[in-house]
């Protein structure tokens, strides 16, 4: 037995899982295809993560939060949802809640660096970077992961290798996959008008735009269009690109200029048929890959690994085997309850708000007006966005 747990995938959720399990006294090996230098100095990938208060608590508990530069943490003081060029926006803010922000924006690559910096300090965690997993073999009472550098034998294998997980497929676990037939372009733009730390989700005809406020007089632009049009923008000359973005956001932030690289991601939702089999569990996007419209993907990933660690810790106290199906089923039930309703609702919202036929446009306008007038609804959504429950 080389380690208690082998984790396949050294992304943010995989590393968070390693830290959570090591904190419970387990030895953990992390296998990651990317080289160590890519983990230690993860490059900018365009994605800004809207962390809930609960997720910040998880990162603090894991020891990773202190590795994130304070200047890179941008508060979200208000969120607006708009549709069309002239509309009544649906707004969410922190008034009367005793906190300064709904949540906090942090670049994905900085979260990756922070979790890696913390993980390499932990004596119970071994990270084998530059290692490609070939297959997983279920033995009698243990699991063997065969990779291009040898084998790892452990009591439990956790796959955290993304929404297109090869390991999930190798374990013959299917998944519901929803292709939205759209791609998402993300980048940072500096602008002359202040954003006042207001995040805007704007559903315009033919496009969806998110404006996410970051420190330094800039915003992260998240533009959703059909893949061919996104590719045109991806390769467009810089000055022409700046003009295109200003036009697409309605010139609401004044003059804008590109200050980062451009990145494109396909929009596909994924929900695994199972989250666990004997000796094996899925976490992060390998279990549930969300449409980014509700900004809950990474937050749910952190919750999923937290739930897995809680159930494993409880099993250890009871003297149960950590890879037993009964233990992993308890994790699966809890994570399914936490994710299935939100996954279904998110897909429904994404479909409603990206269709441009007249009935859908009218329904959007009426829906936002009604929702903005319903205080109980707004309070419920605001509480979900903030998620202030304490981390374990």
């Amino acid at each position: 037995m080389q380690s208690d747990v082998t984790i396949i995938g050294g992304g943010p959720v995989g590393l968070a899982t390693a830290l959570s399990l090591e904190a419970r006294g387990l030895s953990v090996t992390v296998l990651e295809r990317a080289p160590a230098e890519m983990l230690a100095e993860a490059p900018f990938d365009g994605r800004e993560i809207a962390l809930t208060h609960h997720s910040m608590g998880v990162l603090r508990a894991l020891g990773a939060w202190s590795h994130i530069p304070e200047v890179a943490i941008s508060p979200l003081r208000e969120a607006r949802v708009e549709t069309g060029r002239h509309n009544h926006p649906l707004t969410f803010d922190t008034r009367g809640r005793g906190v300064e922000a709904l949540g906090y924006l942090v670049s994905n690559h900085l979260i990756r660096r922070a979790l890696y910096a913390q993980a390499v300090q932990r004596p119970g965690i071994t990270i084998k970077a530059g290692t490609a997993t070939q297959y997983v073999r279920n033995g009698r009472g243990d699991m063997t992961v065969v990779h291009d550098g040898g084998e790892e034998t452990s009591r439990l294998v956790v796959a955290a290798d993304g929404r297109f997980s090869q390991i999930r497929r190798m374990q013959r676990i299917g998944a519901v996959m929803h292709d939205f037939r759209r791609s998402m372009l993300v980048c940072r733009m500096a602008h002359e008008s202040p954003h006042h730390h207001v995040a805007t989700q704007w559903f315009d005809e033919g496009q969806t735009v998110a404006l996410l406020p970051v420190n330094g007089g800039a915003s992260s632009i998240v533009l959703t269009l059909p893949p061919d049009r996104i590719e045109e923008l991806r390769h467009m000359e810089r000055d022409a690109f700046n003009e295109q973005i200003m036009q697409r956001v309605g010139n609401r932030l004044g003059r804008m200029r590109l200050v980062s690289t451009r990145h494109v991601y396909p929009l596909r939702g994924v929900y695994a048929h199972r989250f666990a089999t004997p000796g094996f569990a899925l976490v992060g996007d390998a279990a549930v890959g969300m449409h980014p419209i509700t900004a809950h993907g990474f937050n749910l990933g952190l919750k999923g690994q937290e739930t897995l660690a809680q159930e494993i810790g409880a099993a250890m106290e009871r003297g149960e085997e950590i890879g037993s199906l009964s233990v992993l089923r308890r994790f699966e039930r809890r994570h399914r309850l936490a994710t299935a309703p939100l996954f279904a609702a998110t897909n429904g919202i994404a479909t409603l708000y990206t269709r441009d036929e007249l009935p859908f446009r009218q329904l959007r306008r009426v829906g936002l007006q009604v929702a903005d007038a319903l205080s109980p609804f707004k309070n419920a959504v605001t509480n979900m966005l903030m998620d202030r429950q304490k981390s374990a």
Side-chain angles (χ1 to χ4, degrees), residues 161-169 177 266 268 270 285-286:
D161 57 334
R163 68 184 63 202
F164 306 116
S165 170
Q166 292 182 340
I167 306 304
R168 182 184 65 218
R169 292 196 295 270
M177 291 197 179
R268 294 175 190 162
V270 177
D285 283 357

Side-chain angles (χ1 to χ4, degrees), residues 88-315:
H88 181 94
L90 172 61
T91 61
F92 305 95
D93 56 44
T94 61
R95 282 178 289 189
R97 297 179 185 276
V99 293
E100 71 151 358
L102 295 168
Y104 295 83
L105 276 172
V106 180
S107 290
N108 184 62
H109 74 291
L110 295 180
I111 296 173
R112 292 175 67 109
R113 291 182 186 183
L115 286 162
Y116 179 77
Q118 183 64 16
V120 294
Q121 296 178 7
R122 302 305 307 158
I125 298 176
T126 300
I127 299 176
K128 295 188 176 183
T131 302
T133 298
Q134 296 174 357
Y135 61 90
V136 178
R137 184 172 63 241
N138 193 337
R140 294 184 177 180
D142 58 35
M143 303 286 286
T144 300
V145 179
V146 179
H147 54 81
D148 53 12
E151 295 184 352
E152 307 295 329
T153 302
S154 56
R155 300 156 65 190
L156 172 66
V157 171
V158 179
D161 57 334
R163 68 184 63 202
F164 306 116
S165 170
Q166 292 182 340
I167 306 304
R168 182 184 65 218
R169 292 196 295 270
M170 289 178 186
Q171 291 300 104
R172 298 183 179 179
I173 298 176
V176 174
M177 291 197 179
H178 189 109
D179 189 345
F180 293 95
R181 302 183 185 278
R182 295 286 188 275
S183 290
M184 176 179 72
L185 183 145
V186 289
C187 63
R188 277 195 181 189
M189 305 284 292
H191 43 79
E192 62 182 0
S193 299
H195 50 53
H196 301 295
H197 291 277
V198 176
T200 302
Q201 184 84 40
W202 181 26
F203 301 97
D204 197 12
E205 291 185 28
Q207 66 176 10
T208 301
V209 182
L211 304 172
L212 307 177
V214 296
N215 295 332
S219 291
S220 173
I221 307 298
V222 185
L223 178 63
T224 302
L225 289 167
D228 57 340
R229 294 169 67 188
I230 284 290
E231 284 303 314
E232 290 176 11
L233 286 166
R234 181 183 197 174
H235 300 290
M236 188 175 288
E237 186 271 332
R238 184 177 291 255
D239 288 342
F241 179 82
N242 292 342
E243 292 296 329
Q244 268 283 318
I245 295 300
M246 284 188 287
Q247 179 183 345
R248 288 186 175 278
V249 303
N251 294 306
R252 62 176 67 198
L253 291 172
R255 296 297 302 174
M256 303 180 75
R257 60 184 176 86
L258 182 66
V259 292
S260 76
T261 48
R262 288 168 266 189
H263 301 265
V264 171
Y265 301 95
L267 288 182
R268 294 175 190 162
V270 177
Y271 201 93
H273 294 161
R274 291 175 289 167
F275 297 161
T277 59
F280 181 81
L282 297 171
V283 295
D285 283 357
V288 182
M290 298 284 289
H291 188 291
I293 199 169
T294 56
H296 263 64
F298 179 64
N299 294 301
L300 286 178
L302 277 185
K303 274 194 169 182
Q305 66 81 31
E306 182 183 38
T307 300
L308 177 63
Q310 288 170 352
E311 291 300 336
I312 287 175

Side-chain angles (χ1 to χ4, degrees), residues 12-30:
V13 175
L15 292 173
T17 307
L19 288 164
S20 292
L21 295 178
E22 196 262 359
R24 285 165 169 80
L26 297 171
S27 58
V28 182
T29 297
V30 179

